[in-house]
Amino acid sequence: MNPSFSFPFEPYDIQKKFMNELYFTIEYRKLGVFESPTGTGKSLSICCGALQWLKDTNLKVVEELRKEINQLKLELSTTIGADDWLQEEYEKLKKNQLLVSLQLKLDKIKQREEKFTELKKRVNIQKKSLNKIEHHFPKRDKPNEVDKSNEAGDVKDCDEKENIEDQDLIVEECQNKDDESDSEETCLDDENDSNTKIYISSRTHSQLSQFVGEIKRTVFSNSTRVVTLASRQHYCINPDVTKLKNVNLINERCLDMQKSKTKSTSVGEEGKVLKKTKTSSCNACPYYNLNNITKLKEQLLVDIMDMEDIVKTGKQLKACPYYASRMALDDAEVVLISHAGIVSSGARSGISLKLQDNILILDEAHGLTAALENAHCAPVSAKQLCSVKTFLEFYINKYQARLSSRNLLQLNQVNFVVGKLLGLVQSKTANDKTGDATIFSLEDFVIKAEIDHLHLRPLVEFCRSTRLAPKLHGFSMRYSQQALEEENKKVEVKKASFKEFLSNMSKKKNQDEVLGDLHKSEIKASNQTNSVPTESSAGSGLYAVLDFLEMLCGRSADGRVLARPGDGGMLKYLLLNVAEHFAQVVQQCRSVIVAGGTMEPVAEFKALLTNNSLEVDRVNVVKCEHVVPPGNVLGVCLSKGPSNIQLNFSYEYRASKDLLNEVGRVLRNVCSIVPDGVVCFVPSYSYEQMLFEHLTSTKVIESISKKKKIFREPKSASEVDQVLHKYAAAIKNKESSDLNGALLLSVVGGKLSEGLNFSDDLGRCVMVLGMPYPNVKSPELQEKMNYLNKSTPGAGSVYYENLCMKAVNQCIGRAVRHANDYACVLLVDERYSRPQTVAALPSFVQKSLKTNCTFGQTIGSIAKFFARHKEKK
């Protein structure tokens, strides 16, 4: 069986290899580790290979069903009389039942195809009518703005009435879990769908948008139903909800608005509306309209849209993109989702993701382990604990007369636990130094925190079911604002009222201290505009506490708690073995493929896919060569500088003036002979700052500026695009400025080391100064390495080495992005010449790599390399 692939152009041999291997890995239910260097059309190969398999399989299923149905019909029509008539009738009955079930499957497939054809026609008619309306009535939104203002007025009136008694803030008795789930599933189709789905996952939503663009380029664009899934935080178009910023608060507010809408009418036994309540105008979301959501769902199934398109169309149709994408999930054939949505079991169940017998392809998989660790890590800061403690005490004392005895008891228990956790991060014994961290096993931690006698799970469930976090958030915001207004009017009256207000608080604390804590919390919260919570707000803080406690409830033998006391103190749950959790995903899927530009070390991904078992035969490892010819890449490991100084950037040497001076000489010479763009990666932001200051003081920056315009990676993400545009413009307009290009100083693991494209003139040389090893004294890293060493001696050191080389390989991958591109990769550190380090570099660099080079050899090789390519041009 040799599949033929529909490609937008004549594919390279490595692309053919990639698609073939992908096809057969899925066909034979295997697991795959696919390495295809950046710039080799990996995304397009994934789309064409996987979609070709899906289309072929769908056709094969129909053919097999027809063949089986015809065979059964033939057998039933030509039954020969048997001696045992009873057995004959039984066999006939069984065959008839099988025939009916097979015919039903075939009919469903036909109906689905017919339904999709009709859907296309209907959506095209809707789009034409919508375009006509917008053409003739371009300002139609104005009446809705009036309505919205009226609604806002209604909301304000409602809020004022609710403020009288704070009824919306009171914790009620636990509701049935069924009620909670109803709100999530209101928009979802109940039909069981047997569609085979391909889930494509990547690190960021912008990378998922690239897949949308690639699918549009293929022949499958008109016949494939694609949906991009994202959280409410990304998809919500209601400004009253998005202003909350925190994803948990956004989720809770959205569910609240749904309940307001669904409960706005009471329905009789026969389904007739009996009466309407007043809540609908106060809280219902105007975008949660089933008719509009259905229209948006149909449009995103017919037209392949990325996230921006879905949000834009959602605003036009006044329909919620979040629920439209979820409603489209059952009918979709390709589902695009971020790594975070796949690796967390909570996220998967929250969006009803069905992985059973489906295909999962994880692109940019070099970050998969980190994504798994983040998904099962729960940090909570001392600021968050302090905020929760303060407002929880305030809340209990204000409403204790109105709370049921059961709820009051559980609130006091939650307050007790938060107090103990806070005490642990604030405690300073004679041996403790601020910032020193300790790692505990889960058993040791609960004993140290003095909460080992409590059942934590019921407390977490109580907080979740009563929705304490959004109530506490509303409480903290409402009374912080109130306090600020009173302070502006009458400062003295405000102080007196708060002393009176806090008179009933616990006698365990000095009243002046409590007042001081509360006053600080109020002023901090009241400075936020429009009640937007910060990371230390009571609501978002309680969510962090609950996530932390939930992890403790798991009592995993591989779980640890990091406790760092002091002013910037924190607690952090760590999971040392993430493969166990990823095994749940692998078991469900028909096939799981991890793909990336550099998949070294392969052993790490094999262990992740097989949960460290011996089932490695099921893993298909595919390594594709780069499309770039070996002569287009020059790799050099520079071991000695111009002054013959040994180049070693380990932590104890990197700040020496001799080494910094040597770096200045290397940069000055490289910038003189390399045309166009040079990107230089350094180990950290602090080292980049130190290096830049030193080169400025020694006039090296001034000297380089005569050859190239110098740019530095900004710390703010919002400034990255601006710097990149200026860098590109400096290279493009080099002739008018008498310069030969630009130099960009970047940071390994920073904003420019992943996902960016320095092709052609933008990246003729990529330099990496030093080896970016993480801080080996980090308690988290030490614990992880010790854990690995216990299972396999030496595994901790291998893990540490791999962390460094993964970061280096991501930097190298920024250059050489297509077959005709060429670039020099300059690795400045004597340690790059070690055999184990060379083996961890990308194969396309290894082919031309020169190790243990002196400065003279290096400069000569670089000069010849660019002279040769200048002649070719």
Side-chain angles (χ1 to χ4, degrees), residues 82 246 439 505 544 562 595 609 650 761 787:
N246 181 279
I439 301 278
M505 290 196 75
L562 176 140
L609 289 170
S650 50
D761 292 344
Y787 173 82

PDB file of all heavy atoms in Angstrom, residues 82 246 439 505 544 562 595 609 650 761 787:
ATOM      1  N   ALA A  82     -30.755 -26.401   6.091  1.00  0.00           N
ATOM      2  CA  ALA A  82     -29.898 -27.171   6.992  1.00  0.00           C
ATOM      3  C   ALA A  82     -30.736 -28.185   7.757  1.00  0.00           C
ATOM      4  O   ALA A  82     -31.964 -28.049   7.860  1.00  0.00           O
ATOM      5  CB  ALA A  82     -29.202 -26.228   7.955  1.00  0.00           C
ATOM      6  N   ASN A 246      -8.495  37.424  35.227  1.00  0.00           N
ATOM      7  CA  ASN A 246      -8.178  36.091  35.736  1.00  0.00           C
ATOM      8  C   ASN A 246      -9.076  35.037  35.091  1.00  0.00           C
ATOM      9  O   ASN A 246     -10.300  35.169  35.080  1.00  0.00           O
ATOM     10  CB  ASN A 246      -8.349  36.075  37.255  1.00  0.00           C
ATOM     11  CG  ASN A 246      -8.026  34.735  37.866  1.00  0.00           C
ATOM     12  OD1 ASN A 246      -8.865  33.832  37.857  1.00  0.00           O
ATOM     13  ND2 ASN A 246      -6.841  34.591  38.395  1.00  0.00           N
ATOM     14  N   ILE A 439      12.546  21.661  50.374  1.00  0.00           N
ATOM     15  CA  ILE A 439      11.677  20.729  49.656  1.00  0.00           C
ATOM     16  C   ILE A 439      11.148  19.692  50.644  1.00  0.00           C
ATOM     17  O   ILE A 439      11.923  19.089  51.391  1.00  0.00           O
ATOM     18  CB  ILE A 439      12.435  20.013  48.521  1.00  0.00           C
ATOM     19  CG1 ILE A 439      12.991  21.015  47.512  1.00  0.00           C
ATOM     20  CG2 ILE A 439      11.542  18.982  47.845  1.00  0.00           C
ATOM     21  CD1 ILE A 439      12.032  21.508  46.482  1.00  0.00           C
ATOM     22  N   MET A 505     -14.058  41.039  65.428  1.00  0.00           N
ATOM     23  CA  MET A 505     -13.095  40.076  64.872  1.00  0.00           C
ATOM     24  C   MET A 505     -12.385  39.303  65.984  1.00  0.00           C
ATOM     25  O   MET A 505     -12.435  39.664  67.155  1.00  0.00           O
ATOM     26  CB  MET A 505     -12.068  40.786  63.990  1.00  0.00           C
ATOM     27  CG  MET A 505     -12.677  41.292  62.704  1.00  0.00           C
ATOM     28  SD  MET A 505     -11.454  41.714  61.492  1.00  0.00           S
ATOM     29  CE  MET A 505     -10.980  40.080  60.978  1.00  0.00           C
ATOM     30  N   ALA A 544      -5.697  29.930  43.549  1.00  0.00           N
ATOM     31  CA  ALA A 544      -4.340  29.376  43.651  1.00  0.00           C
ATOM     32  C   ALA A 544      -4.222  28.460  44.868  1.00  0.00           C
ATOM     33  O   ALA A 544      -3.611  27.385  44.799  1.00  0.00           O
ATOM     34  CB  ALA A 544      -3.313  30.511  43.730  1.00  0.00           C
ATOM     35  N   LEU A 562       7.703  22.765  47.562  1.00  0.00           N
ATOM     36  CA  LEU A 562       8.794  23.702  47.806  1.00  0.00           C
ATOM     37  C   LEU A 562       8.252  24.842  48.662  1.00  0.00           C
ATOM     38  O   LEU A 562       7.223  25.433  48.332  1.00  0.00           O
ATOM     39  CB  LEU A 562       9.329  24.244  46.484  1.00  0.00           C
ATOM     40  CG  LEU A 562      10.422  25.307  46.570  1.00  0.00           C
ATOM     41  CD1 LEU A 562      11.473  25.078  45.494  1.00  0.00           C
ATOM     42  CD2 LEU A 562       9.848  26.717  46.416  1.00  0.00           C
ATOM     43  N   ALA A 595       6.307  15.799  17.393  1.00  0.00           N
ATOM     44  CA  ALA A 595       7.130  16.284  16.278  1.00  0.00           C
ATOM     45  C   ALA A 595       7.796  17.599  16.651  1.00  0.00           C
ATOM     46  O   ALA A 595       7.270  18.375  17.453  1.00  0.00           O
ATOM     47  CB  ALA A 595       6.257  16.474  15.031  1.00  0.00           C
ATOM     48  N   LEU A 609       6.362   8.673  26.036  1.00  0.00           N
ATOM     49  CA  LEU A 609       5.276   8.011  25.296  1.00  0.00           C
ATOM     50  C   LEU A 609       4.935   6.636  25.860  1.00  0.00           C
ATOM     51  O   LEU A 609       3.788   6.199  25.808  1.00  0.00           O
ATOM     52  CB  LEU A 609       5.653   7.876  23.817  1.00  0.00           C
ATOM     53  CG  LEU A 609       5.669   9.165  22.991  1.00  0.00           C
ATOM     54  CD1 LEU A 609       6.281   8.919  21.624  1.00  0.00           C
ATOM     55  CD2 LEU A 609       4.268   9.749  22.838  1.00  0.00           C
ATOM     56  N   SER A 650      31.560  29.441  32.031  1.00  0.00           N
ATOM     57  CA  SER A 650      30.932  28.888  33.232  1.00  0.00           C
ATOM     58  C   SER A 650      30.785  30.016  34.258  1.00  0.00           C
ATOM     59  O   SER A 650      31.474  31.043  34.194  1.00  0.00           O
ATOM     60  CB  SER A 650      31.737  27.728  33.799  1.00  0.00           C
ATOM     61  OG  SER A 650      33.093  28.087  33.944  1.00  0.00           O
ATOM     62  N   ASP A 761      18.685  37.356   4.889  1.00  0.00           N
ATOM     63  CA  ASP A 761      19.566  38.413   5.393  1.00  0.00           C
ATOM     64  C   ASP A 761      19.348  38.728   6.873  1.00  0.00           C
ATOM     65  O   ASP A 761      20.205  39.341   7.508  1.00  0.00           O
ATOM     66  CB  ASP A 761      19.360  39.704   4.584  1.00  0.00           C
ATOM     67  CG  ASP A 761      19.860  39.550   3.147  1.00  0.00           C
ATOM     68  OD1 ASP A 761      20.610  38.595   2.891  1.00  0.00           O
ATOM     69  OD2 ASP A 761      19.482  40.377   2.285  1.00  0.00           O
ATOM     70  N   TYR A 787      15.904  12.679  42.093  1.00  0.00           N
ATOM     71  CA  TYR A 787      14.831  11.713  41.813  1.00  0.00           C
ATOM     72  C   TYR A 787      15.210  10.834  40.613  1.00  0.00           C
ATOM     73  O   TYR A 787      15.045   9.611  40.644  1.00  0.00           O
ATOM     74  CB  TYR A 787      13.537  12.474  41.537  1.00  0.00           C
ATOM     75  CG  TYR A 787      12.390  11.610  41.064  1.00  0.00           C
ATOM     76  CD1 TYR A 787      11.600  10.904  41.968  1.00  0.00           C
ATOM     77  CD2 TYR A 787      12.078  11.502  39.702  1.00  0.00           C
ATOM     78  CE1 TYR A 787      10.549  10.117  41.532  1.00  0.00           C
ATOM     79  CE2 TYR A 787      11.032  10.709  39.265  1.00  0.00           C
ATOM     80  CZ  TYR A 787      10.264  10.026  40.183  1.00  0.00           C
ATOM     81  OH  TYR A 787       9.224   9.238  39.750  1.00  0.00           O
TER      82      TYR A 787
END
